[in-house]
Amino acid sequence: MHLQCPCCGEQFPFEAGFADADGKRLAALFAGLEPKLGRAMLNYLRLFSPAKRGLRTTKAIRLVEELLDLVNAGQVQRDARTNDSKPAAPRLWAAGIEQMIAGRERLQLPLENHNYLRAVVYGIAADPVQATQLAPAKPVTAGSVATVQQVMQEAISRINADERLGLIDREEADRRRQAARGST
């Protein structure tokens, strides 16, 4: 990933950006994150990068600070106009970012704000199967092993959520549901 120099506009590798004060500030924001969320956030920043130039370090700092405020709230709202919120652990935010990266070709880039990510994370948080699946891992006990039926239901729930979020169309969702049920 390349960033853009605030002085000359020249692009340079992300790692070289740690040499100045803004670069150090950006690195400090990532330092306290769990690795999965940190990697997801680095990929997410690419969605904000203009096509013909790099992302300014100051803008990257602002975006990361805004996103950390959302993550640290421990909940997600579909949009800022509603009070309807769902609990959202950092793992849900990382999963939401990963879904956006996977569906990158359907996004209008560069992104302007975090609204679409909030909608994606809200969709994950609203789906009990996905939210439970992304909850912190619990030790495996004899009673916690999933049955074939449970695995199939979880797969179908993920497909339903992807369709609801517009990541896949109805035809693709139907095809995936049939495949999950074992009937082609």
Side-chain angles (χ1 to χ4, degrees):
M1 180 170 140
H2 281 77
L3 297 175
Q4 184 175 6
C5 174
C7 301
C8 67
E10 190 64 34
Q11 292 188 20
F12 58 91
F14 180 77
E15 298 80 14
F18 299 140
D20 71 342
D22 283 338
K24 290 176 185 172
R25 184 171 170 205
L26 183 59
L29 290 172
F30 280 97
L33 296 176
E34 63 180 61
K36 185 173 183 171
L37 181 60
R39 281 189 303 276
M41 286 175 72
L42 280 173
N43 288 326
Y44 180 67
L45 286 177
R46 290 185 175 100
L47 300 177
F48 288 88
S49 186
K52 295 188 179 186
R53 61 173 217 260
L55 183 65
R56 291 188 180 273
T57 309
T58 52
K59 184 173 182 179
I61 291 169
R62 180 180 56 81
L63 290 167
V64 171
E65 287 175 339
E66 290 170 357
L67 187 53
L68 286 174
D69 287 343
L70 292 170
V71 171
N72 291 333
Q75 59 183 358
V76 60
Q77 292 174 288
R78 186 181 238 3
D79 63 51
R81 299 171 293 194
T82 66
N83 290 328
D84 182 29
S85 63
K86 304 282 183 203
R91 288 177 187 232
L92 281 121
W93 290 95
I97 291 170
E98 289 167 359
Q99 277 189 13
M100 286 181 66
I101 300 299
R104 177 187 187 124
E105 66 279 351
R106 290 185 287 277
L107 299 174
Q108 185 176 350
L109 301 177
L111 294 179
E112 301 274 324
N113 53 47
H114 304 292
N115 290 345
Y116 186 72
L117 175 61
R118 283 202 319 223
V120 170
V121 174
Y122 184 89
I124 294 170
D127 181 358
V129 174
Q130 279 189 305
T132 303
Q133 185 178 26
L134 294 169
K138 298 175 186 169
V140 177
T141 62
S144 68
V145 177
T147 66
V148 173
Q149 181 69 23
Q150 289 169 324
V151 171
M152 182 181 72
Q153 287 175 340
E154 289 174 10
I156 291 173
S157 293
R158 281 192 303 277
I159 295 164
N160 292 342
D162 287 350
E163 181 183 15
R164 206 173 39 248
L165 293 169
L167 298 174
I168 58 176
D169 61 19
R170 183 179 193 98
E171 182 180 340
E172 177 66 12
D174 289 340
R175 187 190 65 72
R176 289 184 184 183
R177 282 187 206 101
Q178 286 179 343
R181 290 183 182 110
S183 57
T184 53

